Amino acid sequence: MSDNTLSSRLYPTRIDIPAERRVQIVGILNQTLAATLDLKTQTKQAHWNVKGTDFYQLHELFDELAGELEEFVDMVAERVTALGGYAVGTARAAAKNSILPEFPFDILDGKEYVAALADRFAPYAKHIREAIAKTDDLGDADTADLYTEISRTIDKRLWFLDAHLQAAAIKGENGTFSNKVQQPAAVR
């Protein structure tokens, strides 16, 4: 059975959201499930392999981020099933259906890992904000609220990642600070 067929499978439920809307909401949630699983494993990849003078601090931060993402995986999957849907959450399904780019395997330094994670947390945060609006438009305030909860945490974590990189981003060629701030590629 294809992921698409699984994503549209509904079981009987007494939740009063019409089935055609629940199919759409479950599809959005399964997209989020794939991206969240992918982001969690990419964050663990960074946790396991980071090197450099900030090793311990980043090792701990990345593990904390991965733990939060694991909680979101469970919340999203359980919302899918609460709506009568089928949660598609294997590693293979996540890799196939994630919106995120593959994690680079040719990096070593802590700042490179921070930048790689920030480059993945940013589109994930955008996806979550878009899902808030979409699920609210579909009449599912509870799912929109779940997304809002995730959004607050992800934005905070993106801030933590960006804070590691901001001084270097605004430092000029001569080592002095400039008033011109270079926006990350994901923001441009």
Side-chain angles (χ1 to χ4, degrees), residues 42 45-47 49-54 58 62 102-120 161 164-165 168:
Q42 290 193 40
Q45 182 72 22
H47 163 76
N49 291 291
V50 66
K51 306 284 186 252
T53 57
D54 294 327
L58 295 176
F62 298 162
E102 178 60 83
F103 199 77
F105 294 109
D106 61 345
I107 60 176
L108 186 65
D109 183 66
K111 286 202 182 205
E112 293 174 312
Y113 277 101
V114 171
L117 287 177
D119 287 345
R120 281 142 185 87
L161 294 168
H164 284 84
L165 305 168

Side-chain angles (χ1 to χ4, degrees), residues 102-179:
E102 178 60 83
F103 199 77
F105 294 109
D106 61 345
I107 60 176
L108 186 65
D109 183 66
K111 286 202 182 205
E112 293 174 312
Y113 277 101
V114 171
L117 287 177
D119 287 345
R120 281 142 185 87
F121 269 75
Y124 179 76
K126 180 181 178 187
H127 164 78
I128 296 298
R129 277 188 291 283
E130 289 170 350
I132 293 168
K134 288 176 185 174
T135 55
D136 190 50
D137 288 347
L138 288 166
D140 187 355
D142 292 337
T143 300
D145 184 58
L146 176 128
Y147 276 120
T148 300
E149 179 181 345
I150 294 171
S151 180
R152 277 192 297 272
T153 300
I154 294 303
D155 282 353
K156 180 179 177 182
R157 293 321 199 159
L158 183 56
W159 164 49
F160 281 19
L161 294 168
D162 277 342
H164 284 84
L165 305 168
Q166 286 168 339
I170 60 175
K171 212 173 215 184
E173 289 294 321
N174 61 3
T176 61
F177 287 96
S178 166
N179 289 334

Side-chain angles (χ1 to χ4, degrees), residues 26-75:
V26 165
I28 296 165
L29 285 162
N30 270 318
Q31 179 70 66
T32 302
L33 181 57
T36 309
L37 280 162
D38 187 19
L39 186 57
K40 179 206 160 212
T41 61
Q42 290 193 40
T43 304
K44 285 302 273 190
Q45 182 72 22
H47 163 76
W48 296 321
N49 291 291
V50 66
K51 306 284 186 252
T53 57
D54 294 327
F55 161 77
Y56 186 76
Q57 169 196 5
L58 295 176
H59 180 75
E60 291 294 312
L61 174 62
F62 298 162
D63 198 40
E64 188 175 330
L65 296 175
E68 289 172 343
L69 291 163
E70 179 63 33
E71 289 179 30
F72 298 150
V73 164
D74 204 44
M75 289 168 51

